[in-house]
Amino acid sequence: MKAKLLHVLLLVAVIHNMNSCSSDASEKQDRNASSLNFMNYEYNSSELETMALINEYRVSVGLNALEKNNYISYKSEEHVNYMIVNNVVNHDDFVARSEDIMSVLGAEKVDENIAYNYSTSQAAVEAWLNSPRHKKRIIGDFTHFGISIRQDPVNSKKYYAIIFVKI
């Protein structure tokens, strides 16, 4: 599985580098986020529920629903795994994550929310909505999102990372 994922990422990097070295620098690629949803990502029920709750809230306040994107979810999962392995809850390497998403998906804007130790999706979303800083991201000018929710095998606490993107 890891080798297959590595091959996909390597292929993406090669294609990206080939396209970025074109002789006509003024020629701009048409980046369509749906066509770049090339990675497989197996969403668990908590992830699907959390995305649905966020979209329900956005629609209830007159905003567009966000489109899920597997690549963004993969980047969220990388960060959740980092937090679990390092026993931290933070935004470490957010700049690198956002720059990668901007490069691969042609995103204009990237932001993220994280959470820790909420047993339900509803509780995590409510906590984000009760925090002005986190709510600002939920209601921000975004078009897509990706999410990862994983349980620490040692302490059984859940880690959440959701990345919001405007493409």
Side-chain angles (χ1 to χ4, degrees):
M1 173 79 174
K2 287 182 182 182
K4 189 175 186 180
L5 181 59
L6 183 58
H7 288 293
V8 170
L9 290 175
L10 182 58
L11 177 62
V12 169
V14 168
I15 290 170
H16 174 70
N17 284 337
M18 288 173 50
N19 288 334
S20 65
C21 296
S22 73
S23 60
D24 185 4
S26 66
E27 185 178 307
K28 195 169 187 177
Q29 269 187 305
D30 177 27
R31 294 183 186 245
N32 179 331
S34 296
S35 69
L36 289 173
N37 204 5
F38 53 85
M39 298 191 76
N40 289 326
Y41 186 88
E42 297 292 326
Y43 291 91
N44 64 44
S45 60
S46 294
E47 292 164 341
L48 294 172
E49 180 183 8
T50 304
M51 289 187 294
L53 290 168
I54 288 172
N55 273 336
E56 286 171 19
Y57 181 79
R58 286 179 60 88
V59 169
S60 78
V61 297
L63 299 171
N64 61 300
L66 301 176
E67 184 179 326
K68 73 179 174 184
N69 181 282
N70 295 344
Y71 186 76
I72 302 167
S73 294
Y74 171 74
K75 298 308 286 184
S76 297
E77 182 180 48
E78 281 184 335
H79 188 56
V80 163
N81 289 339
Y82 167 84
M83 290 191 295
I84 291 171
V85 166
N86 292 286
N87 194 31
V88 296
V89 180
N90 61 34
H91 295 279
D92 282 1
D93 298 322
F94 173 71
V95 171
R97 270 189 304 290
S98 63
E99 287 175 349
D100 177 77
I101 291 167
M102 288 177 175
S103 174
V104 172
L105 298 180
E108 298 173 28
K109 181 170 133 179
V110 179
D111 218 331
E112 79 179 357
N113 281 347
I114 59 171
Y116 168 73
N117 199 24
Y118 290 95
S119 59
T120 67
S121 298
Q122 182 73 40
V125 171
E126 285 177 11
W128 285 329
L129 290 173
N130 288 326
S131 162
R133 188 178 62 202
H134 293 93
K135 182 177 181 177
K136 182 179 177 183
R137 293 177 188 124
I138 289 174
I139 62 173
D141 181 24
F142 297 107
T143 57
H144 295 76
F145 63 170
I147 190 168
S148 179
I149 302 171
R150 297 288 178 264
Q151 196 165 20
D152 184 331
V154 175
N155 65 21
S156 298
K157 309 279 184 184
K158 286 186 180 177
Y159 286 76
Y160 297 70
I162 185 165
I163 299 176
F164 301 96
V165 175
K166 181 176 183 177
I167 300 177

